[in-house]
């Protein structure tokens, strides 16, 4: 463990988290790396998406008639969080508003992230609080963990599947230039199963904006896999970057702005609104199967 990184586990599963971005940077079980190691073609591993998920039109957040420049996925992933707690089974970190954050997002906030390993599963919990006594806080938040793909080096990528807990017949959404297209598209999920292939992501992320499931299994048929569940996240993104040996399975509360969207930040798709003193909570969990 270094000053900037905390490593923890329970003997079955081990994880490491960096203060920079509060980013999960390692996840291991039985000597096997479950998380993408980072590097080309994507240097991140599990960024925290806050206070936006996706892109804004012209990278501009309009608040009360004024434009604030904010780039894709927000600023939390590039900020250094403060350690609140570190022990052998987990850690908690916090990011609060500063003069620098208010230049791009003119709101007071507290974002606390709790990482905890118990019984061979990692749980990641999020709590956003509005400390402002007079103003509503609009925000979005998303997880973006990049799991190893392939899960085993001797198995081709196209032999992997995602099996959802429920059938997923609804159309999916897609992006153009990082922005949400107005049309929906037939889902590639057949019943509960998505057969994975890099071609699925040639047009960026696959977005389930109304998933019936709150859990799935990412696995090799008759081989190793991961079980992922989530609470408090109404959307799900699935993504990889061509040439990368990873698959991002991303519970979201919020999405990219629609193409041509010019409304106030508070009216973006998927934004939650916190009254003074109110908090929002969500979580996801992952473990081996």
């Amino acid at each position: 463990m270094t000053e900037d990184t905390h490593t923890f586990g329970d003997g079955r599963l081990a994880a490491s988290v960096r203060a920079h971005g509060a980013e999960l940077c390692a996840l291991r079980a039985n000597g096997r790396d479950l998380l993408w190691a980072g590097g080309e073609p994507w240097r991140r591993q599990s960024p925290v998406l806050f206070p936006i998920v996706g892109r804004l039109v012209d990278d501009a957040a309009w608040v009360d008639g004024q434009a604030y420049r904010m780039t894709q996925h927000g600023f939390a992933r590039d900020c250094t969080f403060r350690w609140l707690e570190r022990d052998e089974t987990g850690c908690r970190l916090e990011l609060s508003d500063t003069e620098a954050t208010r230049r791009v997002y003119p709101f007071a906030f507290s974002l606390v992230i709790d990482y905890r390993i118990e019984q061979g599963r990692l749980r990641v919990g999020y709590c956003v609080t509005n400390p402002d006594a007079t103003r509503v806080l609009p925000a979005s938040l998303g997880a973006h963990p990049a799991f190893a793909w392939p899960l085993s080096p001797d198995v081709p990528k196209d032999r992997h599947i995602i099996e959802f807990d429920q059938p997923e017949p609804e159309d999916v959404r897609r992006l153009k230039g990082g922005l949400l297209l107005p049309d929906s598209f037939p889902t590639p999920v057949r019943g509960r199963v998505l057969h994975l292939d890099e071609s699925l992501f040639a047009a960026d992320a696959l977005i389930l904006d109304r998933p019936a499931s709150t859990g799935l299994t990412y696995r090799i048929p008759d081989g190793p896999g991961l079980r992922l569940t989530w609470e408090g996240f109404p959307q799900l993104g699935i993504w990889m970057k061509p040439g990368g040996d990873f698959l991002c399975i991303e519970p979201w509360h919020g999405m990219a702005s629609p193409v041509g969207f010019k409304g106030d930040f508070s009216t973006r798709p998927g934004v939650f609104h916190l009254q003074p003193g109110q908090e929002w909570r969500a979580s996801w969990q992952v473990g081996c199967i």
Side-chain angles (χ1 to χ4, degrees):
M1 184 177 70
T2 66
E3 182 180 354
D4 188 55
T5 304
H6 179 62
T7 299
F8 54 96
D10 66 351
R12 297 164 60 185
L13 189 67
S16 298
V17 172
R18 283 192 290 261
H20 186 76
E23 187 169 5
L24 179 70
C25 56
L27 187 65
R28 300 184 186 90
N30 302 317
R32 185 161 55 99
D33 287 320
L34 307 177
L35 200 69
W36 159 249
E40 294 298 331
W42 192 57
R43 66 182 178 86
R44 301 183 190 268
Q45 296 173 270
S46 184
V48 176
L49 315 184
F50 176 87
I52 59 173
V53 174
R55 283 195 60 196
L56 304 169
V57 174
D58 299 326
D59 292 331
W62 287 89
V63 179
D64 298 333
Q66 182 174 342
Y68 297 82
R69 177 172 170 76
M70 195 188 314
T71 55
Q72 185 176 30
H73 294 323
F75 51 79
R77 61 183 184 167
D78 296 316
C79 292
T80 298
F81 283 60
R82 177 172 67 96
W83 296 107
L84 298 179
E85 178 184 348
R86 288 191 275 184
D87 61 32
E88 66 277 5
T89 63
C91 58
R92 286 194 309 132
L93 309 92
E94 182 182 26
L95 180 68
S96 300
D97 59 287
T98 64
E99 182 178 341
T101 68
R102 288 191 291 270
R103 284 197 291 267
V104 297
Y105 179 63
F107 298 97
F109 69 89
S110 166
L111 167 59
V112 174
I113 304 178
D114 182 79
Y115 291 90
R116 194 67 47 186
I117 288 179
E118 294 178 347
Q119 299 181 338
R121 290 183 63 81
L122 171 68
R123 181 185 184 275
V124 186
Y126 307 86
C127 179
V128 179
T129 304
N130 180 8
D132 195 311
T134 62
R135 194 177 194 186
V136 173
L137 172 65
S140 289
L141 189 146
H144 202 316
F147 300 107
W149 184 28
L151 286 166
S152 181
D154 57 345
V155 178
K157 286 184 177 180
D158 61 8
R159 283 206 56 224
H160 294 61
I161 64 170
I162 287 177
E163 186 171 15
F164 293 92
D165 287 0
Q166 303 293 332
E168 297 292 349
E170 298 291 335
D171 287 351
V172 299
R173 306 295 298 273
R174 303 303 300 243
L175 303 170
K176 183 177 182 180
L179 299 174
L180 193 68
L181 287 168
D183 300 323
S184 56
F185 297 83
T187 180
V189 181
R190 298 294 175 256
R192 296 193 298 123
V193 177
L194 175 65
H195 291 275
L196 291 168
D197 187 278
E198 287 196 18
S199 63
L200 288 170
F201 311 104
D204 210 314
L206 185 70
I207 300 169
L208 284 70
D209 62 336
R210 293 168 295 174
S213 303
T214 56
L216 58 81
T217 302
Y218 161 50
R219 63 184 174 89
I220 302 166
D222 303 318
L226 299 176
R227 170 73 178 158
L228 188 107
T229 60
W230 58 92
E231 296 179 350
F233 291 107
Q235 291 92 30
L236 184 73
I238 306 172
W239 176 78
M240 66 86 63
K241 193 165 187 174
D245 290 332
F246 64 85
L247 181 73
C248 292
I249 303 174
E250 312 174 35
W252 295 341
H253 197 305
M255 295 183 290
S257 292
V259 171
F261 179 81
K262 294 293 185 181
D264 191 84
F265 182 87
S266 65
T267 65
R268 293 182 69 245
V271 168
F272 55 82
H273 301 85
L274 300 182
Q275 298 296 322
Q278 190 177 11
E279 65 182 28
W280 171 90
R281 292 180 179 269
S283 65
W284 60 275
Q285 298 184 61
V286 66
C288 295
I289 57 169

